[in-house]
Amino acid sequence: MTGAMVPHLVSRWPAWLFWWRVACTPGASLQHRTWVEVSRRPMWGSPWRVVGTGSLVRRGSSSTSSRAPEVVLTHERYPVQRLPFSVVSEEDRAAFERMVPGRVIMDPEELEASNVDWLRSMRGCSKVLLRPRTSEEVSHILRYCHERNLAVNTQGGNTGMVGGSVPVFDEIILSTALMNQVISFHDMSGTLVCQAGCVLEELSRHVEERGFVMPLDLGAKGTCHIGGNLATNAGGLRFLRYGSLRGTVLGLEAVLADGTVLNCLMSLRKDNTGYDLKQLFIGSEGTLGVITAVSILCPPKPRAVNVAFLGCPGFAEVLQTFHTCRGMLGEILSAFEFMDATCMQLVGRHLHLASPVQESPFYVLVETSGSRAEHDAEKLSGFLEQLLGSGLVTDGTLATDQRKIKALWALRERITEALSRDGYVYKYDISLPVERLYDLVPDLRARLGPRAKHVVGYGHLGDGNLHLNVTAEAFSAALLGELEPYVYEWTAGQRGSVSAEHGVGFKKRDVLGYSKPPEALHLMRQLKTLLDPKGILNPYKTLPAQA
Amino acid sequence: MTGAMVPHLVSRWPAWLFWWRVACTPGASLQHRTWVEVSRRPMWGSPWRVVGTGSLVRRGSSSTSSRAPEVVLTHERYPVQRLPFSVVSEEDRAAFERMVPGRVIMDPEELEASNVDWLRSMRGCSKVLLRPRTSEEVSHILRYCHERNLAVNTQGGNTGMVGGSVPVFDEIILSTALMNQVISFHDMSGTLVCQAGCVLEELSRHVEERGFVMPLDLGAKGTCHIGGNLATNAGGLRFLRYGSLRGTVLGLEAVLADGTVLNCLMSLRKDNTGYDLKQLFIGSEGTLGVITAVSILCPPKPRAVNVAFLGCPGFAEVLQTFHTCRGMLGEILSAFEFMDATCMQLVGRHLHLASPVQESPFYVLVETSGSRAEHDAEKLSGFLEQLLGSGLVTDGTLATDQRKIKALWALRERITEALSRDGYVYKYDISLPVERLYDLVPDLRARLGPRAKHVVGYGHLGDGNLHLNVTAEAFSAALLGELEPYVYEWTAGQRGSVSAEHGVGFKKRDVLGYSKPPEALHLMRQLKTLLDPKGILNPYKTLPAQA
């Protein structure tokens, strides 16, 4: 999910970035370094736009949609056949109206935003969107759909990258948007319990006011729903520090395909009473059940946050910087992100963000979060001194106040947006052994030559997660043929994962075999059949199409 | 699993403990405090004993076994009926001999140690123990057993607390003891890949030599197998810092009931390629498959570890100390354990360990692990000053060198052992909202009166995990009737868990309903049927007995 959408930041920030000298670093040997000078630059305008629903809806690249061509229907672009589900009838609509009165959306313009994914690469043709407020309403809807053999596509913030959140044909869209209530927050333990439709950023605000932080953060936070985060097992920017949702989610409530409400909404850190059923729903992209509520453990809010942005002469130095960083920063390290020079050029060209450091082949963003500002500053200063002394880093800047930190983060978080302005984007999100993380990028540049506009690599180095993106003037089947299955085969050759954090959705369901053995795919199918025997939940997603 | 067995520590330590003044604490206001004076005391002797297998086997309370009465056969003590599995025949034994030549154990004396659990509360009557070395051998064994309808009990270190690791009737014991090879360790990422039968303490040593630590630690570390740790979703002493195995385990290999080898042995921090099948096997106690190999993420080894042992005047002060601790120690806090005065008395009486602080109603052990010794000491000193100044703590001692740290930890880790020497022990391991964590202890003392010898409470306060233990001269059905279902009903009333970390095994399978709704139990049964249709894997465990 990371890097998906960040324009929400823009509306909350002053419309400029500025760069600064390192002022707070106590290390003497840093004082004489030349750090990049401050300058003010305009940022890209607001991404808000009015859509057909009559409400303000934030979408990543939507402000460019007037220029964008109409999105082709998914079943016209991709070879996919509609499965024999029922078609929603007038009678069905009346039944839904009784279940969620006034919250059955049928207006085509209103449906548009939910039929198209934010990358504008897929379009469904759903005729009905339902907005339940409670898990009981979800239960009634699913029980009815199960009996009637109607397919259902659950949708949170619709910020996914793999087409998992939009219908492929005419599936009913079940929106979690009105299930947005915080149920409880426990100050002693930091346990948040809330409905699935709460927006991540709003939850962050809620817990931060109480001295805690959400254990996950991602570019799409202003739009994505916590239920969608769980359903896609979102990774994001705090993964390195707080780990996977599989550890931080304490419980959840899910409604099964037949309408059964499964209450696993425990709020305990430890619970070994049998199989951990919640794990079935985390990362299963709405194909095994609809997540309706979440219990999640929030860590205490760090008292001090620092961000260093560094220029590195090569990828070997990026790796060595990471190794040094882990040793010297230890428990206060909270993010280690990298981007290549092309990313920086595109962020500059399309979003008018300037680099805070001298031009370098690679850039690294290191974030620390700790409980004592002066200790963290001391550790960071020692670390930076060591880096500069050893030549691992050629230039760098350090930010300690929140506005500057956010400005540095924007360089990393807004790469996706810059790419989407560069042309058609072929996106790959792979996990690899960290020492091989960048190898595929120069390899692909050589392979594709001028057929690609740009080939870039960036991502969560600390997690071994590469976002590999190729841009071109327009979609081309020939270029796609050069990329696939080549990228997947290369990844499989390294025992990597063809989907690190973005999930499978519709777009990657047929490449799972590169990362999963046949026995695993077979067991996945068995689980799907067990939990959703009619296959009504998010069909055409996650599982490979049957041969 | 925590607190299960610790005598292995004894054999590696000097046979005395000593107490010391706080010498390294820079906080001036601490200097004039009276800390408990050093004295040398003998510790309890070696727990090593020779058992029938002809090899040295470490077992927790086994040195007392000569005094202990013969363990009653499980099916004679508990109301349980043998299911209609086949009985191992001469032909079966010959077949196993072909599969694992020389590693089919049938000698009754050798089988004794594996038929009885370490608490000496259950006894199976298995006639065959198999010692495969590879997952292929496990696959051959299970395929055969599946065809022949033979029941199988997988056994790691046999350190479980709920009778999950020993046969109930004549199930074949499948030991992981010879599957003890480290497969790889990756220095950059800290990823360890090993076979399931590796002993936790040996793995710890392996990764510590390389600058990392295992993300889990528990009292039974000298005996327990990593495969058993996963199968029981062990919590333990580092849970507060590194979280659940559900987050730190990157992959595993499991052999299914029909012999299928399921390879999910990824070594990537992020992998969202479909359902996370490994989660099915973590915590399912060998009932869904046999874990044969593990891939686990090890955090960097902290450079500085400190332990403070404190006396608190009441449980409210313990809670307030925890709250203060989280705020002031933040990211370096790695454990927060508590024990009551009775625990300390029993540790003193039965193990001759003396309290390092003045007698108090409660004791707290706080551990910090960080990357910079002087920073951590400064944080701890500020924290202790605040505690003493506010009256939350009445006495305390601080340890910074490893021997002293281990001595302090022994007071907490060896409570289980002290209890087992106090008489028959009724053991409960529950999760509760932290502010209610101790309420049940005085409640039970009043309820049981002189019928109980001792009622004690201790555990992982930071995780909301109470170990509640009641001792009596001997087992008594009447006393059990006073305890159950009362303890479970009380726990359910607080929305707690009736098994925080010890699991379900044989002993708790019929109390799951206190923590799991019927829909969850139904889905658990469906999963069992899907993965093990004949029910040959660890029967009579984890799932409630069918009505």
Side-chain angles (χ1 to χ4, degrees), chain A residues 448-463:
Chain A
L448 302 177
R451 282 169 294 182
K453 203 167 160 191
H454 293 106
V455 179
V456 307
Y458 64 101
H460 317 286
L461 187 124
D463 309 327

Side-chain angles (χ1 to χ4, degrees), chain A residues 3 51 195 205 217 257 282 289 313 364 396 449 464:
Chain A
V51 296
Q195 285 189 295
R205 210 172 294 130
D217 183 27
I282 299 174
V364 163

Side-chain angles (χ1 to χ4, degrees), chain A residues 178-410:
Chain A
L178 297 185
M179 300 175 67
N180 58 358
Q181 300 299 302
V182 170
I183 298 167
S184 65
F185 184 76
H186 190 269
D187 277 326
M188 179 71 86
S189 62
T191 308
L192 172 75
V193 182
C194 65
Q195 285 189 295
C198 290
V199 171
L200 178 59
E201 192 170 42
E202 285 163 19
L203 293 177
S204 284
R205 210 172 294 130
H206 186 88
V207 303
E208 285 189 25
E209 284 165 6
R210 289 155 180 83
F212 291 81
V213 292
M214 291 298 287
L216 81 161
D217 183 27
L218 34 96
K221 59 178 160 274
T223 312
C224 64
H225 295 187
I226 188 73
N229 296 148
L230 264 69
T232 56
N233 189 30
L237 307 167
R238 289 180 185 155
F239 190 96
L240 183 67
R241 178 62 167 272
Y242 301 118
S244 157
L245 288 175
R246 299 196 176 277
T248 54
V249 171
L250 302 178
L252 56 77
E253 180 189 68
V255 180
L256 305 185
D258 65 0
T260 301
V261 179
L262 184 72
N263 183 345
C264 303
L265 204 54
M266 295 297 263
S267 292
L268 305 162
R269 292 200 67 168
K270 286 180 176 174
D271 178 26
N272 271 351
T273 53
Y275 308 156
D276 190 6
L277 300 174
K278 68 173 182 285
Q279 301 290 348
L280 284 171
F281 304 96
I282 299 174
S284 63
E285 304 183 329
T287 60
L288 298 181
V290 176
I291 296 171
T292 48
V294 174
S295 169
I296 192 165
L297 186 67
C298 300
K301 188 177 176 179
R303 295 186 184 182
V305 176
N306 297 292
V307 168
F309 199 95
L310 313 166
C312 283
F315 193 71
E317 286 80 6
V318 172
L319 285 179
Q320 200 49 46
T321 299
F322 176 56
H323 197 70
T324 308
C325 188
R326 291 239 299 190
M328 296 186 72
L329 299 179
E331 67 282 357
I332 64 167
L333 176 64
S334 55
F336 193 102
E337 303 282 314
F338 88 103
M339 56 197 276
D340 64 17
T342 317
C343 289
M344 186 65 89
Q345 286 156 17
L346 294 177
V347 164
R349 184 179 309 163
H350 297 296
L351 308 177
H352 310 296
L353 304 183
S355 171
V357 297
Q358 288 165 11
E359 201 176 316
S360 307
F362 291 93
Y363 303 90
V364 163
L365 184 154
V366 178
E367 187 191 71
T368 66
S369 308
S371 58
R372 192 90 158 249
E374 66 274 25
H375 287 172
D376 298 2
E378 211 179 313
K379 286 189 185 103
L380 247 179
S381 129
F383 165 66
L384 294 175
E385 232 175 277
Q386 162 109 6
L387 290 183
L388 290 163
S390 60
L392 292 177
V393 155
T394 47
D395 194 14
T397 183
L398 183 65
T400 54
D401 86 59
Q402 223 196 345
R403 198 183 51 190
K404 294 172 189 170
I405 286 171
K406 284 192 170 178
L408 288 182
W409 263 114

Side-chain angles (χ1 to χ4, degrees), chain B residues 36 128 152 160 176 187 243 252 267 340 399 413 443 446 501 516 524:
Chain B
V36 175
V128 184
V152 177
T176 54
D187 277 328
L252 57 77
S267 292
D340 64 17
E413 287 192 296
D443 180 295
E501 59 174 9
K516 284 261 195 297
M524 277 179 61

Side-chain angles (χ1 to χ4, degrees), chain B residues 342-381:
Chain B
T342 317
C343 290
M344 185 64 89
Q345 286 155 18
L346 293 177
V347 164
R349 183 178 310 163
H350 298 295
L351 307 179
H352 309 296
L353 304 183
S355 172
V357 298
Q358 286 164 14
E359 202 177 314
S360 308
F362 291 92
Y363 303 90
V364 163
L365 185 155
V366 178
E367 187 191 71
T368 64
S369 309
S371 58
R372 192 89 158 249
E374 66 275 24
H375 287 172
D376 296 2
E378 209 179 315
K379 285 188 184 107
L380 248 179
S381 131

Side-chain angles (χ1 to χ4, degrees), chain B residues 426 428 430 432 436 438-449 451 455 466 468 470 477-498 511 514:
Chain B
Y426 302 84
Y428 302 95
I430 55 188
L432 291 166
R436 303 297 309 271
Y438 196 72
D439 291 2
L440 188 52
V441 180
D443 180 295
L444 273 185
R445 281 188 189 135
R447 180 181 171 87
L448 301 177
R451 282 168 295 181
V455 179
L466 174 72
L468 168 70
V470 178
L479 187 54
L480 187 65
E482 288 290 316
L483 284 164
E484 299 177 17
Y486 182 77
V487 168
Y488 298 125
E489 282 170 356
W490 195 96
T491 304
Q494 302 298 327
R495 302 212 60 208
S497 166
V498 294
V511 300
Y514 289 102

Side-chain angles (χ1 to χ4, degrees), chain A residues 186 232-233 246 270-273 275-276 287 303 326-327 331 371 431 434-435 465 497 499 501 516, chain B residues 186 188 212 232-233 246 270-273 275-276 287 303 327 331 371 431 435 465 497 499 501 516:
Chain A
H186 190 269
T232 56
N233 189 30
R246 299 196 176 277
K270 286 180 176 174
D271 178 26
N272 271 351
T273 53
Y275 308 156
D276 190 6
T287 60
R303 295 186 184 182
R326 291 239 299 190
E331 67 282 357
S371 58
S431 274
V434 70
E435 65 274 15
N465 182 184
S497 167
S499 183
E501 59 174 9
K516 283 262 196 294
Chain B
H186 191 268
M188 180 70 89
F212 291 81
T232 57
N233 190 30
R246 298 195 177 278
K270 287 180 174 173
D271 177 27
N272 271 350
T273 51
Y275 307 156
D276 190 7
T287 61
R303 296 188 184 182
E331 67 282 357
S371 58
S431 275
E435 64 276 13
N465 182 182
S497 166
S499 184
E501 59 174 9
K516 284 261 195 297

